[in-house]
Amino acid sequence: MVTKRPDGIFPYISNDAYAQRLADAVENTCEDQGVVPPPRVAVIEGLATALGDTEIKALVATQRGRKVLKPTAYRLVQAGTDKVLLLMCDVHGAAVVPWDLNDRTVSTWTPPSPEATERVEALVATEAALLEADKALKTAEKEREARRRAPGDETFTAQALAAAEEKVTQAARRVKEIGRKRAALLSALGGRRPRPVVRAVEEDGEAKSALTLTEQPYDVAVHLQRYAADSLERAGKRRGYDLTESLVDAGQLTKGMNVLQQWQIRNPDGSVNRLWRMAAVTGNNRARSRLEVFGVRAEYLVTGMPQSLVPVRKEKSNPTLLLLSQREVLNRISWRFNEESAKPETVPEDPSVRAGKIATVASEIVIGCSRPAALEHVLRALNVNDHLRGIQPYEDDARLIALFATLVDSYARENRLQAVLTSAFPSARGADLLDLNGVRDALTANGPLDPLEPLLPTGEDVSPVTLRDIAVRAITTLVFPELPPAPPQTGKRTVRDTGPYWPIVKGTLQEPAWSQIRAKTAEDRTRLWSAAVAQLYLHRGNILSALGMFGVPEARDGSGQDPRPLKELFLGAEGGDATAWAALVRRMAPTLIHAPEPFITPGQGSEAGDGRKGVRRTPKSALAALTLAYSEKTPNLSRELLLAFAKAVLEHPDATQPPERPDGRRPVCYGERDWGEDEQTAIVAGMVLAPDTEGRPTSYVADKAWFDEIFPVELSRAVLTSTTGDATGDSSASGDSSGTDRDTFHGEVPPDPRDTLASLRRELPARVELAEGSYQRAVDSAHALLADFEEARRLRAQLNADTLPADQRIEWMEKLAKVRDAAQDSVTTLSQMEALILQI
């Protein structure tokens, strides 16, 4: 017997015939508007299954024998150069899933990587094991209490009680072990989760106007969706009012934008469920609060709703049954709420009454896009713009990250992104081959760093270390663009030429005029830089740790970065170049901040005296000490130690396994050597072993205690008091204060010739390698120039063109003759060096 559905305000979802009509109307309207529609299955399973019986009738019309959307049912939005078609309709109040990529919670996610995904799977399994261990402990404790109260033979009771006590002890030990394993996994993840990878869905090799997530195991999908909802809830608590109660009292007053998205859930038996749902692009907190009012968890909508949570009358409950059809789930919710709200005894606090104002909500759904491959970026930009221009409070780092994404888009919109990167990387192997969309995603941590590869110089290896270095340098260039040199002073009033890039920064960040840049502007720009760079790291340190690294000179005239790649900087530092080491310290700075055991933290200690809160240590002090250590001659410092530390620090973000001591035992943090094993920090991937003076790894993990002991505050005070500007920011200043010729000052003892010989023998191999690289680049340039001349000669003969003027030919030949003479002189010099090698 068929039971009649109860009437009420909560809608019942239309049948499949109406869904097919809606799909036809969407496809035909997209064709008329010149945009690409979503896949047909997405409209049928994700959109039509969220609309009521009469809603589709109000949206669809018949025009010349074909189904189309009514003109009042859609609108076309221009997002930069892209067009987005939006369907305006009323959807079921419980039909929209919060988008886990909301820009307000961007700081709670880490860049996606296979290693991080594996750690999440291990974390999920560990949490399940911890739950079972907690149950076992509670059971053992109940059994122990029962044994204590059980009457009987005293000998037997004592034995049984001892056995119960032992069982409780073992269960507690297991809970502790699993808890420590979980804490280690959380530490390895940086306390966050890897961002889910979203891309435009493809059909027959063509991108469509819908999104899809990569395949996820069921438990991981539940964990990540729950984590996303919890992060949204924490971010929403900064509102000045209760959003949930506002929805209950007044309903949803503004429309939210949604996009069709596919979740691919891999079940334990190996089968894969591909579920289409609507995800909120804007209004994520409203979507989460609506689900809270309906009593529905977001993860159940995307992984399957347990049938026992939405039963209907006279139906046997099956706890193992998952409902995958959105139509079935929403119809069951409406059935129950309509039935409950009709009962006279239903109290006002019942969910069926509280959800009355949001039974349906006005929404705009993306049903077409002119460039579907960029759909995720377009929607993300719309979300950022909606929030940045809104009145809701932001967490500082999330707001800065969103602002940096807007800055990158501004460069791209003004067609300046490629030009500014080309000028910042003069030795790039192929800056004209940049995929600007990929570069934009890489710099905003929404994609891999591989698109930055053309910015690497020829001869530099492609690795995560070098790509991250390129990313940091590119971010620095965009935030602190170089200005043209100032004209010579003539005594007359002149207007400073700010170049093509600084006006983009000014307009996006809404800064004052160039002449009005002060310390506040430099600090704000440094915070923006720090938040943008932090996205590149798994372990995110405090973004305030970068304060002081950039000052007013960088904000006004540009960052002044050393253009040399990492390989040359290492060789230069090994060869005795103090400026190369100073530049290398600048490259290390972000990694020193965003390490599992950070070496640079916001200023700590007491400004009044060392005895109150410890020695005062600012980020600028830490970098100054590390820079000056290159020229200091102390028993604890050597260049081998510095170079080994720099190499390990730059590589640590890519480590997949925790470090191991040379003897194979578990290392401990340097500052926790005397701590008990239970109190020690878990050793995770990304930590580095402290090197000794020979550059070999020791048995201790380098931490801030080790850093402050090896590079004390006293080491930095000389350079900080001898310079008036940013002692760590200017390579030339660092070189002057830490050069190798400090011992030539009047009154000092001349160096020991033996020490000089040992130093030269240590530095010369790196200098030889640097010279080899320079000569190879010169040879490559000569070959490329010869190829261009041959091509020009061939084209002239083919076109029968006129010859060059005689004066221009003479000028070129004179320049090439000078180059040839210099090359011949260098051959003589190289021959002399070959002879000297035999005499060293």
Side-chain angles (χ1 to χ4, degrees):
M1 185 178 106
V2 179
T3 306
K4 183 180 181 299
R5 296 188 299 192
D7 296 328
I9 61 174
F10 295 94
Y12 294 103
I13 306 305
S14 58
N15 55 38
D16 188 64
Y18 283 105
Q20 297 291 342
R21 295 175 193 171
L22 178 62
D24 292 336
V26 169
E27 291 176 350
N28 293 330
T29 304
C30 287
E31 182 181 356
D32 295 340
Q33 296 295 326
V35 295
V36 180
R40 186 179 182 88
V41 65
V43 177
I44 294 174
E45 297 182 5
L47 175 55
T49 56
L51 303 179
D53 285 334
T54 59
E55 185 65 19
I56 294 181
K57 296 179 183 178
L59 299 174
V60 178
T62 303
Q63 188 179 80
R64 292 191 294 273
R66 65 175 192 158
K67 300 296 183 183
V68 294
L69 296 175
K70 293 181 180 180
T72 56
Y74 65 89
R75 69 186 183 101
L76 199 62
V77 175
Q78 192 75 28
T81 59
D82 301 308
K83 294 188 296 183
V84 178
L85 187 65
L86 301 177
L87 173 68
M88 297 180 290
C89 58
D90 292 339
V91 302
H92 195 289
V96 179
V97 182
W99 205 26
D100 44 18
L101 304 182
N102 182 267
D103 66 287
R104 287 190 185 277
T105 61
V106 65
S107 58
T108 64
W109 299 97
T110 64
S113 66
E115 295 81 10
T117 303
E118 292 176 1
R119 290 170 189 166
V120 170
E121 295 182 11
L123 176 64
V124 171
T126 302
E127 288 181 342
L130 182 60
L131 183 61
E132 294 297 325
D134 283 332
K135 292 180 180 178
L137 177 59
K138 292 178 181 178
T139 302
E141 289 175 343
K142 289 181 180 179
E143 183 179 347
R144 180 183 61 183
E145 292 301 317
R147 292 296 182 187
R148 284 178 176 174
R149 294 181 173 86
D153 181 71
E154 292 185 1
T155 303
F156 175 78
T157 302
Q159 293 175 349
L161 182 58
E165 290 281 2
E166 179 63 22
K167 189 174 181 180
V168 170
T169 302
Q170 293 178 357
R173 185 182 300 114
R174 175 162 175 77
V175 168
K176 190 174 183 180
E177 291 174 355
I178 298 177
R180 291 193 63 182
K181 182 179 179 181
R182 178 181 180 273
L185 286 170
L186 284 173
S187 178
L189 285 166
R192 300 176 294 163
R193 306 295 185 274
R195 180 185 294 109
V197 178
V198 177
R199 65 180 186 277
V201 68
E202 292 187 357
E203 192 175 75
D204 298 329
E206 181 184 357
K208 295 290 185 177
S209 299
L211 303 176
T212 181
L213 281 169
T214 54
E215 193 174 294
Q216 297 174 315
Y218 176 85
D219 292 337
V220 173
V222 171
H223 178 89
L224 290 179
Q225 194 65 44
R226 188 172 296 172
Y227 175 78
D230 292 344
S231 300
L232 271 175
E233 184 178 6
R234 287 194 299 271
K237 288 182 178 178
R238 300 190 64 192
R239 291 175 179 267
Y241 61 96
D242 192 311
L243 178 59
T244 301
E245 296 305 318
S246 174
L247 290 172
V248 170
D249 180 64
Q252 184 164 308
L253 304 180
T254 58
K255 294 180 180 179
M257 185 185 300
N258 308 320
V259 64
L260 293 168
Q261 182 168 298
Q262 183 188 54
W263 275 261
Q264 302 184 75
I265 309 300
R266 186 172 66 250
N267 298 315
D269 60 0
S271 61
V272 179
N273 298 327
R274 293 178 171 84
L275 307 179
W276 284 98
R277 299 291 185 262
M278 283 191 297
V281 176
T282 61
N284 276 266
N285 271 303
R286 282 172 282 172
R288 186 201 61 79
S289 296
R290 288 199 306 267
L291 292 180
E292 181 181 338
V293 175
F294 276 89
V296 177
R297 297 190 65 95
E299 59 267 22
Y300 291 147
L301 290 181
V302 300
T303 59
M305 174 72 73
Q307 180 263 351
S308 57
L309 297 181
V310 284
V312 295
R313 192 173 14 172
K314 299 181 181 179
E315 181 184 52
K316 186 177 180 181
S317 177
N318 184 357
T320 63
L321 178 63
L322 292 179
L323 303 176
L324 304 180
S325 170
Q326 183 172 235
R327 176 184 286 111
E328 178 70 15
V329 172
L330 296 181
N331 275 336
R332 285 171 175 259
I333 292 175
S334 294
W335 184 310
R336 188 183 67 186
F337 276 35
N338 284 330
E339 190 175 50
E340 291 294 329
S341 60
K343 296 178 180 178
E345 65 271 16
T346 302
V347 297
E349 289 76 20
D350 191 88
S352 61
V353 178
R354 286 170 56 82
K357 295 288 183 66
I358 51 175
T360 60
V361 291
S363 301
E364 295 180 328
I365 295 95
V366 177
I367 57 170
C369 182
S370 59
R371 195 160 54 99
L375 178 60
E376 178 200 355
H377 170 74
V378 171
L379 297 180
R380 196 187 300 274
L382 289 173
N383 190 11
V384 167
N385 183 72
D386 182 72
H387 282 163
L388 283 178
R389 306 297 176 246
I391 60 174
Q392 296 303 328
Y394 250 126
E395 291 185 3
D396 192 40
D397 51 352
R399 181 186 64 82
L400 292 171
I401 291 171
L403 196 57
F404 175 73
T406 305
L407 176 63
V408 177
D409 286 343
S410 298
Y411 275 101
R413 186 172 57 253
E414 299 292 334
N415 295 323
R416 298 289 188 181
L417 183 57
Q418 182 171 356
V420 68
L421 294 179
T422 301
S423 63
F425 298 91
S427 59
R429 62 180 65 172
D432 55 335
L433 303 177
L434 284 174
D435 173 15
L436 295 183
N437 290 328
V439 169
R440 183 170 52 189
D441 290 341
L443 297 182
T444 54
N446 293 317
L449 299 179
D450 297 340
L452 300 175
E453 181 179 338
L455 295 177
L456 287 171
T458 303
E460 186 83 350
D461 296 332
V462 180
S463 68
V465 176
T466 55
L467 290 177
R468 190 184 307 106
D469 178 65
I470 290 293
V472 173
R473 291 170 60 190
I475 291 173
T476 307
T477 298
L478 297 182
V479 178
F480 299 96
E482 300 290 338
L483 268 67
Q489 297 291 335
T490 61
K492 298 181 180 180
R493 182 179 180 274
T494 59
V495 178
R496 176 66 187 270
D497 179 16
T498 56
Y501 309 127
W502 184 82
I504 298 176
V505 178
K506 175 191 175 184
T508 303
L509 306 185
Q510 300 180 2
E511 290 185 352
W514 181 86
S515 59
Q516 300 300 315
I517 291 179
R518 299 291 185 267
K520 179 66 169 60
T521 305
E523 180 179 328
D524 292 343
R525 200 111 53 95
T526 303
R527 288 172 182 257
L528 177 69
W529 174 88
S530 184
V533 168
Q535 297 181 95
L536 305 175
Y537 293 89
L538 177 65
H539 298 272
R540 181 172 298 179
N542 193 326
I543 65 172
L544 299 182
S545 301
L547 292 184
M549 291 186 185
F550 299 95
V552 174
E554 288 82 10
R556 297 188 66 173
D557 300 323
S559 58
Q561 299 185 84
D562 193 312
R564 289 176 286 182
L566 283 177
K567 183 178 180 180
E568 286 191 19
L569 291 181
F570 269 106
L571 289 174
E574 189 177 349
D577 185 358
T579 62
W581 174 252
L584 194 58
V585 170
R586 296 281 293 179
R587 303 284 183 85
M588 293 166 55
T591 318
L592 294 172
I593 294 172
H594 306 291
E597 284 290 320
F599 301 98
I600 296 179
T601 57
Q604 77 274 7
S606 174
E607 296 182 356
D610 297 348
R612 183 165 174 257
K613 293 182 180 179
V615 179
R616 179 68 176 169
R617 193 70 187 267
T618 62
K620 183 186 292 187
S621 165
L623 286 183
L626 186 58
T627 302
L628 195 60
Y630 185 80
S631 59
E632 286 298 311
K633 298 179 181 179
T634 62
N636 293 333
L637 281 175
S638 67
R639 293 192 180 171
E640 289 79 7
L641 181 149
L642 294 176
L643 292 172
F645 177 61
K647 187 174 185 295
V649 163
L650 288 172
E651 292 179 350
H652 89 73
D654 311 303
T656 58
Q657 299 296 328
E660 293 185 358
R661 290 170 49 169
D663 56 7
R665 297 168 56 192
R666 176 183 176 274
V668 297
C669 291
Y670 184 83
E672 302 175 1
R673 292 165 292 172
D674 301 327
W675 294 16
E677 185 175 353
D678 294 341
E679 300 174 344
Q680 293 173 355
T681 302
I683 306 301
V684 300
M687 293 181 175
V688 298
L689 295 179
D692 60 15
T693 54
E694 300 296 327
R696 296 169 300 193
T698 63
S699 300
Y700 301 109
V701 170
D703 57 6
K704 194 160 193 323
W706 176 85
F707 185 89
D708 289 343
E709 181 176 316
I710 298 297
F711 310 106
V713 176
E714 291 74 14
L715 191 61
S716 66
R717 285 175 178 164
V719 67
L720 288 177
T721 55
S722 63
T723 57
T724 58
D726 185 357
T728 64
D730 187 359
S731 298
S732 61
S734 300
D736 291 341
S737 62
S738 59
T740 56
D741 56 351
R742 295 171 67 250
D743 49 8
T744 61
F745 293 159
H746 178 70
E748 292 190 4
V749 179
D752 188 340
R754 295 180 180 82
D755 294 340
T756 304
L757 176 60
S759 176
L760 286 173
R761 285 178 169 175
R762 184 175 60 249
E763 296 172 357
L764 282 176
R767 298 185 187 181
V768 170
E769 192 168 346
L770 278 174
E772 179 187 5
S774 300
Y775 272 91
Q776 187 59 49
R777 286 193 296 274
V779 171
D780 293 341
S781 298
H783 287 314
L785 187 60
L786 176 61
D788 291 339
F789 270 109
E790 289 179 346
E791 179 68 9
R793 180 193 59 79
R794 186 187 65 80
L795 291 174
R796 175 190 170 273
Q798 177 182 343
L799 301 174
N800 197 20
D802 296 336
T803 60
L804 287 174
D807 55 347
Q808 189 170 2
R809 283 182 288 168
I810 294 174
E811 180 183 357
W812 287 5
M813 292 177 68
E814 289 177 348
K815 289 183 178 180
L816 289 177
K818 291 180 180 179
V819 172
R820 185 184 60 228
D821 293 341
Q824 291 175 349
D825 293 341
S826 69
V827 170
T828 304
T829 304
L830 291 175
S831 300
Q832 294 175 353
M833 284 191 288
E834 290 177 0
L836 290 173
I837 290 176
L838 302 177
Q839 303 175 25
I840 295 180

